[in-house]
Amino acid sequence: MTARAARADENADDLDVEEALALVKKNPGDTTDTPRHPHPHPHHDAIAWPDARAIAENAPRHGTGGRTGYLTPVAVPLASALGLTLAAPLTALTDLPSFDTSAMDGWAVSGPGPWSVRDEGVLAGHAAHTPLTDGEAVRIATGARIPPDTTAVLRSEHGRTDDKGRLHVTAATRPPHTVTHGQDIRPRGQECRSGDQLLPVGTPVTPPVLGMAAAAGYDTLTAVPRPRVDVFVLGDELLGEGLPHDGLIRDALGPLLPPWLRALGAEVTAVRRVGDTEQALYKAITASGADVVVTTGGTAAGPVDHVHPALRRIGAELLVDGVQVRPGHPMLLARTKDDQHLVGLPGNPLAAVSGLLTLAEPLLRTLAARPAPEPYTLPLRDGVQGHPYDTRLVPVALRGDRALPLLYNGPAMLRGIAAADALAVVPPGGARPGQEAELLDLPWTSGGVGVCFT
C-alpha cells in the first residue's frame, strides 16, 4: 500500500465516522436516545460485532481440532508451562507430604517433659534418625523428617533448657512440661494421597500450579501449546526507523502486534515485511506453517489491497468479511487450511487493535483452550457519540468505579490506547454519561498469567 493510498483509506474511515456522528444528532424536540437509520448499512456484508467474535471463537472447532478446537496437547517442561492450560488432570504422584515432617523449628519430643536433649539435631533433607525414647528430645528444623516415636514438636519459642540441659515447656497457655499429641507435625498425606486429583483439565497454569506440580513429583505437564502466529506487515510506505519523510511513515504495527499477541498467549514465530503485491502476499501465506497468520493492511478494496485476491487464489474460506464496528470495520477472518486461520487487520493502528480484540483474541483463546474473561461493565463518566449502526470501541481509563472515555480515538491514532486501561464497547447510537458499558480489558492491565512481552 502506498502512503497516499494509506492516507486515503484513513480519511475514508474518519469520514465515515464524521458522517455517522452527524446522523445520530437529534432533531429539535427529539427526546429519544434511539439512533436513526435513514440508510441501510453501507457495508452490507459486514456482520454485527458480537457475532464476529462468536465466529472467531468457534472457528477452530470446525477444523482439525474437532469439537474442542484446541491444539494437540504436548508434554511441556515446568519452566515453559506458565500461562498454558492443563490438557490432563494433575494427579498426585506421591503422598504430600511424603513422610511426617516438622511444621516448625524446635524440638521433636517423646512423652511428657522435661526431656533430655540429644546432642545431634535433625535437619531437613537428612535420612531418618533413630527412634526417640520416652523423655527424650532432639533439635529439629522445619521440614525435617520426624524421628520415629515422636509425640509432638515443641516450638523454639515455647521451650527452654535449664543449666542441666533439660528441656522444659514455657508456653503460658500450656500446663508445665506438657504438649499435645501431634502438635506442629505435618503427617504424611495431610495434603493429598498418591493418585488424588489435584486439578482438573482446563486449569490455567499459574505460578502456584507450577509449585504444586513440582511438589507432586512432575517434571513436565500435559498442556495445550501456545498457538504459533506469523505476522506479515504490508505496506511499501513503511519505515523501520527514523522520522517520517518523503511520503514514508513509521511502521507502528510491527512493534505493537508481536508483544500484544504474546500477551494473548501466542508464540510469535515470525514478523515479516511483505511487499505490496498479490504474489508476495500469496507466497508468504502459503509458505507459513503457523496456526494463525496475522496481516496488517490491504483488507479493503483499494488498488493495492491484496488480501482478498490472495485469499481467493489460495481457495480460503472467508468466515468474516467486514464487521459492524468502528474503528476497524474492514477486518476479516479466513480459514486458509483446515488447521490454519488468517486474521486480516486494517492498516490504521487503532483499527488494527480493534481487529485484534474482535477476531484474534477469541480465535487464539480457543486454540489455546484458555478460559474466556468474565464480562463486566462500568458506568461511563462522560457520554460517547455513537455510530448509527456500528458498535464503537473507545479507549477508556478506569477512575475508581467509572470509565473515562479518552480523546485521540480515531482509527489512525494510538495516543488514546497508549493511555488506556480498557476499551469500552459503545452500542450503535452512543452512550449517555453514567450509562453502563461493557469493557474489554487490555492484557497487561488484567494481570493475566499469560502476559509476556519477550
Side-chain angles (χ1 to χ4, degrees), residues 117-136:
V117 182
R118 286 183 184 174
D119 293 333
E120 184 179 355
V122 179
L123 299 177
H126 287 208
H129 282 244
T130 56
L132 293 177
T133 59
D134 197 40
E136 191 177 25

Side-chain angles (χ1 to χ4, degrees), residues 373-377 438-439:
E374 287 293 328
Y376 76 104
T377 64
E438 180 186 352
L439 297 185

Side-chain angles (χ1 to χ4, degrees), residues 323-349:
V323 178
Q324 295 171 19
V325 66
R326 302 301 171 108
H329 65 274
M331 67 182 73
L332 61 84
L333 172 66
R335 182 177 291 113
T336 50
K337 305 173 188 174
D338 196 41
D339 57 353
Q340 184 187 72
H341 292 83
L342 181 143
V343 176
L345 303 178
N348 279 322

Side-chain angles (χ1 to χ4, degrees), residues 219-230:
D219 299 316
T220 63
L221 292 175
T222 301
V224 180
R226 293 175 177 83
R228 295 164 299 128
V229 178
D230 284 350

Side-chain angles (χ1 to χ4, degrees), residues 193-274:
R193 290 291 184 180
S194 179
D196 286 352
Q197 180 174 305
L198 306 176
L199 294 169
V201 171
T203 300
V205 179
T206 62
V209 169
L210 293 174
M212 174 176 283
Y218 285 85
D219 299 316
T220 63
L221 292 175
T222 301
V224 180
R226 293 175 177 83
R228 295 164 299 128
V229 178
D230 284 350
V231 179
F232 298 149
V233 180
L234 312 181
D236 292 340
E237 77 281 11
L238 300 177
L239 291 169
E241 60 183 12
L243 294 174
H245 62 86
D246 301 324
L248 302 177
I249 60 175
R250 279 296 297 270
D251 170 26
L253 295 179
L256 180 151
L257 289 175
W260 200 318
L261 289 163
R262 293 187 190 104
L264 294 176
E267 176 190 353
V268 179
T269 46
V271 181
R272 287 182 49 198
R273 294 277 295 277
V274 177

Side-chain angles (χ1 to χ4, degrees), residues 58-70 338:
N58 289 311
R61 298 189 175 104
H62 301 288
T64 54
R67 184 179 58 83
T68 61
Y70 57 70
D338 196 41

Side-chain angles (χ1 to χ4, degrees), residues 41-410:
H41 198 290
H43 306 286
H44 57 86
D45 290 330
I47 62 175
W49 181 77
D51 295 340
R53 284 173 59 82
I55 290 172
E57 181 178 349
N58 289 311
R61 298 189 175 104
H62 301 288
T64 54
R67 184 179 58 83
T68 61
Y70 57 70
L71 299 173
T72 302
V74 294
V76 183
L78 295 187
S80 303
L82 182 65
L84 303 185
T85 299
L86 292 182
L90 190 70
T91 302
L93 303 179
T94 182
D95 296 344
L96 286 181
S98 54
F99 46 80
D100 293 349
T101 63
S102 177
M104 303 294 294
D105 291 333
W107 295 268
V109 301
S110 181
W115 302 271
S116 60
V117 182
R118 286 183 184 174
D119 293 333
E120 184 179 355
V122 179
L123 299 177
H126 287 208
H129 282 244
T130 56
L132 293 177
T133 59
D134 197 40
E136 191 177 25
V138 64
R139 265 287 184 184
I140 194 166
T142 301
R145 188 169 188 164
I146 294 292
D149 298 328
T150 295
T151 300
V153 169
L154 179 65
R155 300 185 184 191
S156 295
E157 62 268 27
H158 293 169
R160 66 172 178 82
T161 54
D162 58 24
D163 54 4
K164 296 181 181 179
R166 303 273 289 172
L167 175 65
H168 301 262
V169 176
T170 59
T173 57
R174 301 186 185 281
H177 312 312
T178 65
V179 291
T180 303
H181 189 85
Q183 76 180 45
D184 289 325
I185 293 176
R186 292 189 63 210
R188 176 174 181 166
Q190 181 186 50
E191 185 171 2
C192 66
R193 290 291 184 180
S194 179
D196 286 352
Q197 180 174 305
L198 306 176
L199 294 169
V201 171
T203 300
V205 179
T206 62
V209 169
L210 293 174
M212 174 176 283
Y218 285 85
D219 299 316
T220 63
L221 292 175
T222 301
V224 180
R226 293 175 177 83
R228 295 164 299 128
V229 178
D230 284 350
V231 179
F232 298 149
V233 180
L234 312 181
D236 292 340
E237 77 281 11
L238 300 177
L239 291 169
E241 60 183 12
L243 294 174
H245 62 86
D246 301 324
L248 302 177
I249 60 175
R250 279 296 297 270
D251 170 26
L253 295 179
L256 180 151
L257 289 175
W260 200 318
L261 289 163
R262 293 187 190 104
L264 294 176
E267 176 190 353
V268 179
T269 46
V271 181
R272 287 182 49 198
R273 294 277 295 277
V274 177
D276 262 336
T277 68
E278 179 188 333
Q279 178 64 14
L281 182 57
Y282 171 82
K283 288 180 63 177
I285 296 172
T286 53
S288 173
D291 302 302
V292 177
V293 172
V294 174
T295 63
T296 69
T299 57
V304 290
D305 291 333
H306 300 300
V307 175
H308 284 92
L311 292 176
R312 284 194 294 270
R313 184 174 171 186
I314 290 169
E317 179 186 1
L318 204 54
L319 305 177
V320 174
D321 189 11
V323 178
Q324 295 171 19
V325 66
R326 302 301 171 108
H329 65 274
M331 67 182 73
L332 61 84
L333 172 66
R335 182 177 291 113
T336 50
K337 305 173 188 174
D338 196 41
D339 57 353
Q340 184 187 72
H341 292 83
L342 181 143
V343 176
L345 303 178
N348 279 322
L350 189 57
V353 168
S354 174
L356 198 63
L357 296 180
T358 301
L359 299 178
E361 186 276 330
L363 175 71
L364 292 170
R365 176 167 23 93
T366 298
L367 288 169
R370 295 173 62 155
E374 287 293 328
Y376 76 104
T377 64
L378 281 179
L380 296 170
R381 198 195 74 173
D382 305 325
V384 179
Q385 287 276 23
H387 192 279
Y389 25 66
D390 288 356
T391 299
R392 287 191 69 200
L393 300 183
V394 178
V396 295
L398 304 186
R399 298 290 183 263
D401 60 352
R402 287 181 175 262
L404 170 64
L406 297 173
L407 300 176
Y408 308 105
N409 53 33

